[in-house]
């Protein structure tokens, strides 16, 4: 079975390419790809949602740390 071209718009993503594209770990990329099937549109949308959630969580933690620092 031939592998699909990772940059083509056809066929499923290769996990390593997907991880690099969305700046996520290989494990996170594998989970997103597995959960969303072979649809590149679905995987792209899920990756954008995942990276936005990670960023929001980091921002929330930063703000929480700032409040703790001000109280100290």
């Amino acid at each position: 079975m031939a592998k699909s071209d990772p940059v083509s718009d056809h066929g499923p993503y290769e996990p390593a390419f997907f991880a690099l594209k969305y700046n996520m770990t290989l494990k996170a990329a594998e989970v997103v790809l597995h959960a969303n099937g072979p649809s590149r549109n679905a995987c792209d949308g899920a990756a954008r949602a995942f990276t936005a959630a990670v960023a929001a969580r980091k921002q929330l933690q930063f703000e929480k740390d700032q409040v703790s620092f001000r109280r100290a």
Side-chain angles (χ1 to χ4, degrees):
M1 178 177 182
K3 288 193 172 194
S4 64
D5 178 4
V7 294
S8 135
D9 288 338
H10 307 290
Y13 279 114
E14 293 293 328
F17 175 80
F18 190 74
L20 287 172
K21 180 176 180 179
Y22 287 103
N23 193 30
M24 60 176 59
T25 66
L26 182 58
K27 182 65 177 174
E30 289 170 343
V31 169
V32 170
L33 292 172
H34 180 74
N36 292 281
S39 168
R40 285 188 174 224
N41 286 335
C43 291
D44 288 334
R48 286 189 295 272
F50 176 81
T51 55
V54 169
R57 184 176 174 125
K58 284 182 183 179
Q59 181 63 32
L60 183 63
Q61 186 60 49
F62 174 78
E63 291 169 3
K64 194 175 178 183
D65 291 346
Q66 293 299 309
V67 169
S68 297
F69 178 74
R70 289 183 197 133
R71 290 183 182 165

